Amino acid sequence: MTNNQGQSKFVDELQRVWANPPGWRSLSAVNHSTIGLRFMVTGMIFFLIGGGLAMLVRTQLALPEQDLISAELYNQYFTMHGTVMMFLFAIPVLEGLAIYMIPKLIGARDLVFPRISSLGYYCYLFGGIIILSSLFLGVAPDSGWFMYTPLSSSTFSPGPGSDFWLLGITFVEISAMSAGIELTVSILRTRAPGMTLSKMPIFCWYILAMSLMIVFGFPPLILASILLELERAAGMPFFDVAGGGDPLLWQHLFWLFGHPEVYIIFLPAAGIVSTLIPVFSGRPLVGYRWIVLSIILTGFISFGLWVHHMFTVGIPQLAQAFFSVASMMVAVPTAIQVFAWLATLWTGKVVFRLPMLWIMGFLVIFVCGGLTGVMLALVPFNWQVHDTHFVVAHMHYVLVGGMFFPLMAGLYYWLPLVSGRMPSERMGQWGFWLTFVGFNTTFLLMHLTGLLGMPRRVYTYEAGLGWDWLNLLSSIGGFIMAAGVVMILLDLLLHFHFGRKASRNPWQADTLEWTLHQPPAPYNFVSLPHIHSRHPLWDDPELVDSLQAGEGSLTRIDHGRRETWGTDAVTAEPREICHLPTNSWWPLLASAALALVCISLLLRWYSLAIVGVILAALPLFRWSWENGGHPDAAALRREPEGELPLESRTTDGPGRWGMIFTLMADGALYLSLLFGWFYLWTASPQWSAPDAGPLSIWGLVLSGILLTLASLRFHQQAQRLARREETGVLSGLWQATGLGALHVLSLFAVLWLAPLAITESAHDAVLFFMLAFLLFHSALAVVITALQAWRAQLGFVSARLPYEPQVVWPFWLYTTGIFWVSLALFVLLPMAWGTPS
């Protein structure tokens, strides 16, 4: 009786510490389950808006020579349809699913940076609202969802439509990047003890690959969007041939993001397939290690395919041959996964429940889409069907078949976990068959209209070209598919009120999420598991009861902290206890201020934009102040003997990993800038540079020396704290701050005094952007170092609390590195090489 009362009291205290605030105050919640659900619900709302736009497009094309929609509105509708589906639905919904599921699958209580999840959601929400507001204001972008220049430049798109796209998408990308970094670190560093990489659920491998691809794949688009907005707002000719730019640079940067994005969307969906097929086959997945290898290969190869979107722009034949072969090679790792799925189905005893119906639909549609993808990889065939409905049909077969169908399978599979109720088999089957038949009727026929020569992005067509009946049937199929989506939505609405109560682990699955209550408590696990198998519920059926009885680990709550294990990235041996931040308003306030900055830039109210930056800095500053050894984060008290240290008492916690992966993303943006520099230097038809570089070489060298001294001085203090020494640390941090400030002033002087013609020369515009990029990083390094010195003065950083300088040091190292690389490649190399004729 006493044990039961103690366990009940412990669970009540867990609930108190981890619970979301009630009512409107729940906007400050940071729990991963809440944030993940918000992502998915918001994404489904955007999906309905994008689907409505698709129905308007199909209605206009149903019959020849219709004028239901003007050409201007039609251009806005198809542009916004693609933008909404790609940027506001596909990736955010899959990120939301990952945010919701990953801690439950790896045996953690939450993601490692909960407030980052909240910031990401609000940036996504506000960015999506800004983008869609252009549609309701009648000024939506009309240049296509890939915004090719010069069509999207100010000459041909003088209104604010392109600005809505560029600023809104850049804002939304903050969300994607934050999710990518957080999911990567959480999977690598917070898995349950014993969950080695070889025992990790296969879905986690897919999400890890997706997250790393986001880290490296999204920065080229962010850079391209910033450069194009600078060209539109300030006249910097990055993509203007007359000023030495090149519109093809936009295509390169966009598709450096765009083709990995296809696999960023596909991999999590394939992860759902690899998770569900073993469950409904009643046996482990065939070829686990081969699938892991194929996931890694897919991630690598996908970054080498971007030029196959540009076969018709006049690139050299050798490049066409290389990227054609690479485009066909990516079919190999995909085929490994398909054959592994088929082998699992063949050797198992398949139970055809509702989720499996969607999986089978996926297998049919995705294989067809893959075959047309191999066809498009052949350069001569690509030339024939480029920019026709054949390409549109292929893209939908790959993206809708490859993402939407597995997503629906996962939705029905995990629905009992979210609601505690079982889905309706009958209504679910109606939804599936209407969607499956409608989809194939719509897009299978579009292959034929494409082969018959119908271009995409045309708002009408003449009668008698052979496209009439095909377009009519495609439009009918679109409305059948829409009816299927409506049936699914109706099923979901009724489910939460009338669904049959689910039993524990209703699908007889093998993964940890089914050890939880249905719906899960905000802390997920009463006690955290120790993993001995890749299939913990199949190999240890008593695990559910033992974890809920508190027989796992981390069963203290008297300290009032939110905690989860920090484990080794490979062996999953416990290394520290991560103390996680609680509910906070700072992410909402920061994202609202950033939204104000975005709106101000749209309206060209630059003074208000500066105010918005200051307003955003205030909550971000306070947020950063409550980290590490701050009493609000983890009070400095003696822990029981034998217990692992808290993260803030170590020198290599998950926060340091977060910094490193953030710098990898920043480095990808910097490498994209280098790519753009060398591309313009070697390929732009009107590229020109002055005989003598416009920058002061000796001024840059002096600035670099100051930066290096500041970096070394900071490193010395971080090393002293790592050795648990405090002598001279405070003065050393202030000295590093002073040296860094002198560096910033000298670099600013170089930028200010340089005679850069940034509105006339792409060469000077790139140099200006490079210097501004370096100046931003240097100034940020000085600010965070000053904060470290201040915190050391208050006792938040000390020999006992050495953690934060270990997080900051990689930023100093990175900032110093990109400075000297920039001096070598942007200034010294062109001087030594000479200006190309």
Side-chain angles (χ1 to χ4, degrees):
M1 187 64 159
T2 304
N3 289 338
N4 290 337
Q5 288 178 345
Q7 178 67 8
S8 177
K9 186 176 180 180
F10 170 70
V11 171
D12 290 343
E13 186 65 11
L14 263 181
Q15 181 68 30
R16 185 192 67 79
V17 171
W18 285 86
N20 292 337
W24 63 272
R25 288 185 294 157
S26 66
L27 294 174
S28 67
V30 299
N31 181 266
H32 79 99
S33 295
T34 301
I35 300 300
L37 289 175
R38 286 176 180 174
F39 263 102
M40 288 187 279
V41 171
T42 306
M44 291 304 293
I45 293 172
F46 285 136
F47 169 75
L48 294 178
I49 295 172
L53 293 172
M55 290 300 95
L56 291 172
V57 169
R58 284 307 332 166
T59 301
Q60 168 66 17
L61 294 178
L63 297 171
E65 301 175 9
Q66 289 203 102
D67 57 359
L68 299 174
I69 303 173
S70 67
E72 180 182 7
L73 282 179
Y74 183 88
N75 289 341
Q76 292 185 17
Y77 290 168
F78 80 69
T79 298
M80 290 300 293
H81 165 70
T83 299
V84 168
M85 290 304 196
M86 297 297 286
F87 295 103
L88 301 183
F89 166 63
I91 292 178
V93 164
L94 292 170
E95 286 177 341
L97 177 64
I99 288 170
Y100 185 86
M101 290 304 308
I102 286 300
K104 298 174 175 61
L105 286 164
I106 63 175
R109 287 198 170 120
D110 206 333
L111 293 172
V112 73
F113 309 126
R115 291 184 182 178
I116 293 289
S117 298
S118 180
L119 176 72
Y121 171 72
Y122 286 117
C123 288
Y124 163 54
L125 175 65
F126 294 151
I129 291 172
I130 289 170
I131 294 169
L132 283 177
S133 65
S134 66
L135 186 64
F136 297 107
L137 293 173
V139 291
D142 57 2
S143 306
W145 71 273
F146 29 67
M147 296 293 288
Y148 277 178
T149 56
L151 187 60
S152 58
S153 300
S154 55
T155 303
F156 297 98
S157 295
S162 294
D163 299 310
F164 272 96
W165 194 97
L166 295 166
L167 291 169
I169 290 301
T170 303
F171 193 20
V172 169
E173 298 311 299
I174 297 174
S175 169
M177 295 299 299
S178 64
I181 293 166
E182 176 162 39
L183 289 167
T184 299
V185 178
S186 296
I187 293 171
L188 290 176
R189 292 288 277 107
T190 62
R191 302 193 306 276
M195 186 180 283
T196 61
L197 290 178
S198 63
K199 295 175 185 170
M200 194 163 68
I202 193 67
F203 184 74
C204 297
W205 276 107
Y206 282 98
I207 297 301
L208 179 60
M210 175 201 78
S211 303
L212 288 170
M213 290 176 70
I214 288 174
V215 167
F216 292 105
F218 276 54
L221 176 64
I222 295 174
L223 174 68
S225 300
I226 294 172
L227 295 183
L228 183 53
E229 183 58 27
L230 286 173
E231 178 174 297
R232 290 176 56 85
M236 299 183 186
F238 299 106
F239 308 104
D240 183 1
V241 174
D246 191 341
L248 286 184
L249 176 60
W250 170 270
Q251 292 195 34
H252 280 288
L253 291 175
F254 183 88
W255 291 117
L256 274 169
F257 145 83
H259 201 83
E261 185 198 27
V262 173
Y263 295 96
I264 290 170
I265 292 171
F266 165 69
L267 284 176
I272 296 173
V273 177
S274 292
T275 300
L276 269 61
I277 282 180
V279 173
F280 291 98
S281 299
R283 58 146 299 148
L285 183 66
V286 171
Y288 174 94
R289 287 181 173 82
W290 281 101
I291 290 183
V292 171
L293 177 62
S294 73
I295 295 168
I296 296 170
L297 286 175
T298 300
F300 275 107
I301 296 174
S302 68
F303 282 93
L305 308 182
W306 82 92
V307 176
H308 83 208
H309 295 272
M310 303 169 60
F311 281 157
T312 62
V313 302
I315 60 174
Q317 291 185 354
L318 181 61
Q320 290 182 351
F322 172 83
F323 286 101
S324 177
V325 172
S327 301
M328 288 183 277
M329 280 180 58
V330 79
V332 175
T334 305
I336 291 173
Q337 296 172 67
V338 172
F339 284 120
W341 296 332
L342 295 177
T344 306
L345 292 170
W346 183 265
T347 56
K349 296 180 179 179
V350 182
V351 179
F352 281 98
R353 303 289 294 276
L354 183 57
M356 271 304 296
L357 200 58
W358 288 94
I359 294 295
M360 299 308 292
F362 153 78
L363 289 172
V364 172
I365 292 173
F366 183 75
V367 169
C368 293
L371 292 174
T372 57
V374 174
M375 294 167 67
L376 287 168
L378 299 170
V379 175
F381 183 82
N382 189 293
W383 286 346
Q384 298 302 314
V385 299
H386 183 75
D387 258 349
T388 69
H389 273 207
F390 188 95
V391 176
V392 178
H394 159 73
M395 184 178 71
H396 283 82
Y397 260 79
V398 171
L399 293 180
V400 178
M403 176 269 181
F404 184 75
F405 276 69
L407 180 66
M408 289 298 102
L411 172 69
Y412 280 114
Y413 175 72
W414 281 303
L415 199 55
L417 179 67
V418 177
S419 66
R421 298 176 181 272
M422 296 298 292
S424 166
E425 291 281 340
R426 178 171 296 181
M427 291 191 70
Q429 288 182 15
W430 271 99
F432 166 78
W433 285 111
L434 286 170
T435 304
F436 184 80
V437 172
F439 173 85
N440 285 286
T441 303
T442 302
F443 296 106
L444 183 63
L445 297 179
M446 287 178 69
H447 288 95
L448 299 179
T449 55
L451 290 173
L452 291 173
M454 183 173 180
R456 57 177 173 175
R457 300 189 294 275
V458 292
Y459 86 105
T460 191
Y461 53 94
E462 296 180 4
L465 297 176
W467 308 338
D468 308 27
W469 67 276
L470 292 171
N471 273 298
L472 178 60
L473 289 177
S474 285
S475 296
I476 292 171
F479 281 96
I480 294 173
M481 183 178 176
V485 172
V486 170
M487 183 64 71
I488 294 168
L489 291 174
L490 180 61
D491 185 14
L492 293 177
L493 290 174
L494 295 175
H495 165 87
F496 286 90
H497 294 283
F498 304 107
R500 177 171 53 85
K501 187 174 177 59
S503 61
R504 177 187 291 180
N505 194 4
W507 311 114
Q508 300 304 306
D510 61 324
T511 42
L512 287 175
E513 75 272 25
W514 297 107
T515 65
L516 306 178
H517 293 290
Q518 301 166 3
Y523 48 81
N524 286 340
F525 300 89
V526 173
S527 58
L528 298 186
H530 192 100
I531 300 303
H532 303 281
S533 164
R534 193 182 296 159
H535 310 285
L537 294 193
W538 284 352
D539 296 336
D540 184 7
E542 305 302 320
L543 186 62
V544 177
D545 294 327
S546 65
L547 292 180
Q548 292 186 2
E551 296 175 10
S553 56
L554 282 191
T555 53
R556 280 187 60 205
I557 197 61
D558 57 316
H559 43 60
R561 292 190 297 261
R562 298 185 177 190
E563 293 184 342
T564 196
W565 282 120
T567 53
D568 184 83
V570 178
T571 65
E573 289 297 319
R575 292 175 52 174
E576 64 271 311
I577 298 173
C578 299
H579 47 85
L580 307 177
T582 58
N583 303 314
S584 173
W585 290 102
W586 304 130
L588 174 57
L589 295 175
S591 56
L594 291 173
L596 175 63
V597 174
C598 185
I599 294 169
S600 303
L601 293 174
L602 280 170
L603 298 173
R604 302 288 196 265
W605 294 351
Y606 298 119
S607 298
L608 183 59
I610 295 173
V611 172
V613 170
I614 296 172
L615 292 177
L618 294 176
L620 290 173
F621 167 80
R622 182 60 192 177
W623 177 354
S624 68
W625 192 254
E626 295 175 358
N627 279 322
H630 190 278
D632 290 347
L636 188 59
R637 61 168 72 105
R638 187 171 297 280
E639 303 298 331
E641 292 294 331
E643 191 169 280
L644 287 175
L646 296 178
E647 174 188 355
S648 59
R649 280 60 162 169
T650 68
T651 58
D652 189 29
R656 190 167 187 269
W657 287 60
M659 172 63 79
I660 291 171
F661 282 106
T662 301
L663 294 177
M664 287 182 180
D666 193 276
L669 190 147
Y670 179 75
L671 289 175
S672 300
L673 178 62
L674 275 180
F675 170 83
W677 169 256
F678 284 113
Y679 177 82
L680 292 178
W681 184 11
T682 57
S684 178
Q686 300 295 328
W687 177 261
S688 62
D691 294 334
L695 302 181
S696 169
I697 303 300
W698 293 113
L700 287 173
V701 171
L702 174 61
S703 183
I705 292 172
L706 289 169
L707 173 62
T708 304
L709 291 174
S711 179
L712 291 174
R713 194 66 179 138
F714 184 89
H715 179 58
Q716 289 173 354
Q717 314 321 311
Q719 289 294 99
R720 285 179 180 174
L721 290 173
R723 294 193 300 266
R724 311 294 174 172
E725 301 173 5
E726 287 190 19
T727 306
V729 168
L730 181 60
S731 62
L733 289 174
W734 283 120
Q735 289 168 19
T737 302
L739 288 168
L742 290 174
H743 156 71
V744 169
L745 290 174
S746 62
L747 185 58
F748 180 79
V750 170
L751 178 60
W752 182 263
L753 297 174
L756 296 173
I758 59 175
T759 61
E760 300 172 11
S761 165
H763 172 274
D764 286 9
V766 174
L767 287 182
F768 175 85
F769 186 88
M770 179 270 295
L771 287 176
F773 184 83
L774 297 179
L775 191 61
F776 171 79
H777 285 75
S778 298
L780 185 57
V782 170
V783 170
I784 60 180
T785 302
L787 288 177
Q788 289 297 295
W790 189 6
R791 291 169 73 83
Q793 201 160 337
L794 296 175
F796 300 159
V797 173
S798 64
R800 189 176 173 189
L801 296 168
Y803 179 59
E804 294 177 55
Q806 317 307 320
V807 176
V808 175
W809 160 240
F811 189 85
W812 270 109
L813 180 63
Y814 171 80
T815 302
T816 307
I818 62 172
F819 181 90
W820 289 110
V821 169
S822 299
L823 178 61
L825 299 183
F826 284 91
V827 181
L828 299 180
L829 180 62
M831 290 177 61
W833 191 273
T835 304
S837 59

